[in-house]
């Protein structure tokens, strides 16, 4: 029987007994209805699955014992960073969830000129925590033991400036100079694919991307919605240069 996998933001080691964080305890005990003596798998993004046993459950806490650790090697050889224009609510959740399942290494949410979602500092903090939960759950479902990094929302210019120099930089463009077949091999730092928000990239955004070294990639002549574009691009890049 496949054991429930659950992300946890704590250091883990074999033989350790520890109380689960509230969210993990709620998921395992109240949602999955595990009981004392039941097994589960914990992971914290260090590349291992930790087999664990629930050793005590009370109204105040749930205790687990770490029984063993197993290295998990199912990451793509292609490091993909998704630079994603922030989308509304469930659309953004869908993008993060499916991009994680498809193997992205990092996600950078960006505020573009046509971004419809405006986050103040308080809302941004809550939204980042929510996004990390979405990504952690997607890792649990898909068997990944490395959790993609999610940056704080930032401007397009700041996001482009933060990228490593040796990186293949692409943005979807029906008139772009590249097709999948003409893409060069990705350098050691991998590839970044920039996807506009629901309103698309503005002329100013496109100018900033061009100045930062981004090149256009064609994925057919049709215009894709933001929640489709990034996932199609990541899947295509994995098929062409990664492990699909």
């Amino acid at each position: 029987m496949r054991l429930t996998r659950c992300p946890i933001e704590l250091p883990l080691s074999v033989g350790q007994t520890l109380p689960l964080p509230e969210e993990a305890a709620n998921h395992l005990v109240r949602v999955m209805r595990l009981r004392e003596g039941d097994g589960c798998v914990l992971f914290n993004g260090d590349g291992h699955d930790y087999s664990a046993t629930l050793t005590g459950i009370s109204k105040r806490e749930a205790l687990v014992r770490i029984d063993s650790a197993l290295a998990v090697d199912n990451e793509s050889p292609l490091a993909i960073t998704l630079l994603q224009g922030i989308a509304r609510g469930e659309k953004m959740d869908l993008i993060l969830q499916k991009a994680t399942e498809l193997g992205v290494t990092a996600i950078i949410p960006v505020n573009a000129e046509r971004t419809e979602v405006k986050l103040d500092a308080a809302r941004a903090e809550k939204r980042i925590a929510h996004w990390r939960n979405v990504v952690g759950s997607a890792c649990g479902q898909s068997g990944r033991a490395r959790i993609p990094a999610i940056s704080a929302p930032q401007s397009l210019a700041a996001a482009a400036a933060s990228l490593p120099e040796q990186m293949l930089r692409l943005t979807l463009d029906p008139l772009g100079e590249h097709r999948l077949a003409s893409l060069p091999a990705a350098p050691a730092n991998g590839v970044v694919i920039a996807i506009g928000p629901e309103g698309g990239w503005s002329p100013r955004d496109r100018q900033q991307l061009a100045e930062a070294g981004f090149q256009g990639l064609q994925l057919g002549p049709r215009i894709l919605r933001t929640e489709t574009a990034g996932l199609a691009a990541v899947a295509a890049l994995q098929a062409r240069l990664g492990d699909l």
Side-chain angles (χ1 to χ4, degrees):
M1 182 178 67
R2 183 178 179 182
L3 296 178
T4 300
R5 297 180 79 242
C6 184
I8 181 172
E9 294 185 12
L10 290 173
L12 299 172
S13 60
V14 176
Q16 175 187 20
T17 296
L18 70 155
L20 289 170
E22 182 178 354
E23 187 165 344
N26 182 68
H27 175 71
L28 292 174
V29 176
R30 293 177 177 80
V31 178
M32 302 307 297
R33 300 190 179 279
L34 299 188
R35 296 292 178 258
E36 189 171 327
D38 287 344
C40 61
V41 175
L42 305 178
F43 66 98
N44 61 5
D46 70 356
H48 293 78
D49 272 356
Y50 293 87
S51 295
T53 302
L54 281 162
T55 60
I57 299 174
S58 69
K59 291 183 178 179
R60 299 186 61 181
E61 65 180 8
L63 297 175
V64 293
R65 181 186 66 243
I66 308 301
D67 299 319
S68 62
L70 176 67
V72 177
D73 183 19
N74 60 7
E75 294 297 305
S76 172
L78 177 66
I80 301 177
T81 296
L82 175 62
L83 192 154
Q84 173 68 49
I86 297 172
R88 289 173 293 179
E90 293 182 358
K91 288 184 179 181
M92 192 69 177
D93 290 357
L94 175 69
I95 293 165
L96 298 176
Q97 180 188 69
K98 301 308 178 185
T100 299
E101 292 176 19
L102 287 166
V104 298
T105 303
I107 301 161
I108 305 176
V110 295
N111 291 304
E113 279 201 319
R114 295 175 180 170
T115 299
E116 298 179 12
V117 180
K118 304 300 180 184
L119 301 174
D120 57 27
R123 288 185 64 204
E125 185 175 349
K126 291 180 180 179
R127 186 55 50 183
I128 294 167
H130 172 74
W131 289 339
R132 287 176 177 160
N133 285 336
V134 170
V135 167
S137 296
C139 285
Q141 182 277 327
S142 61
R144 294 184 66 179
R146 298 280 183 188
I147 301 174
I150 301 183
S151 304
Q154 53 197 285
S155 69
L156 178 57
S162 72
L163 297 170
E165 288 188 9
Q166 298 300 317
M167 203 173 204
L168 180 59
R169 303 181 180 204
L170 301 170
T171 186
L172 289 194
D173 184 348
L175 303 177
E177 58 265 47
H178 284 296
R179 292 181 178 271
L180 284 174
S182 69
L183 284 178
N189 287 324
V191 57
V192 55
I193 181 72
I195 305 297
E198 287 149 305
W201 296 126
S202 70
R204 181 168 176 249
D205 293 333
R206 291 190 177 278
Q207 181 63 30
Q208 288 181 329
L209 289 168
E211 291 174 354
F214 281 80
Q215 303 172 67
L217 172 66
Q218 296 185 43
L219 284 184
R222 292 163 295 280
I223 304 297
L224 303 179
R225 291 180 180 270
T226 188
E227 66 270 28
T228 306
L231 305 182
V234 171
L237 289 168
Q238 288 283 37
R240 174 69 176 83
L241 302 172
D243 62 356
L244 289 187

